[in-house]
Amino acid sequence: MAPEVISRKEYIGEQADIWSFGVVVYALGEGRHPFKAETYSELERLVNRGKIEFKKIKDNKFIDFVKKILKPKGSERPTAR
């Protein structure tokens, strides 16, 4: 779930969908989920922090692309256009 959904803030469909797209792209490249946690509260903290690590992917263009999509603040994410 996008940070704004987890935090129960205003839901803007495209921004949340872009986030979900970023999670899928990350998983395709890295072979794992970008946020791993043992508890829901820990997951919420990680998602809201938005810090992700790349262990397999070394391509800077890929990394920059995913980081732009997975910005914690929805208004800072790119649009579908």
Side-chain angles (χ1 to χ4, degrees), residues 21-50:
F21 171 68
V23 170
V24 170
V25 171
Y26 179 94
L28 288 170
E30 283 287 306
R32 61 190 178 96
H33 193 280
F35 307 101
K36 184 175 180 171
E38 296 295 322
T39 66
Y40 183 81
S41 60
E42 183 184 356
L43 179 64
E44 182 177 1
R45 184 183 59 76
L46 292 172
V47 167
N48 282 316
R49 203 170 111 214

Side-chain angles (χ1 to χ4, degrees), residues 25-26 28-30 54 57 59-67:
V25 171
Y26 179 94
L28 288 170
E30 283 287 306
F54 294 85
I57 299 296
D59 182 282
N60 287 332
K61 288 183 182 182
F62 180 88
I63 292 170
D64 291 343
F65 177 68
V66 173
K67 284 184 174 182

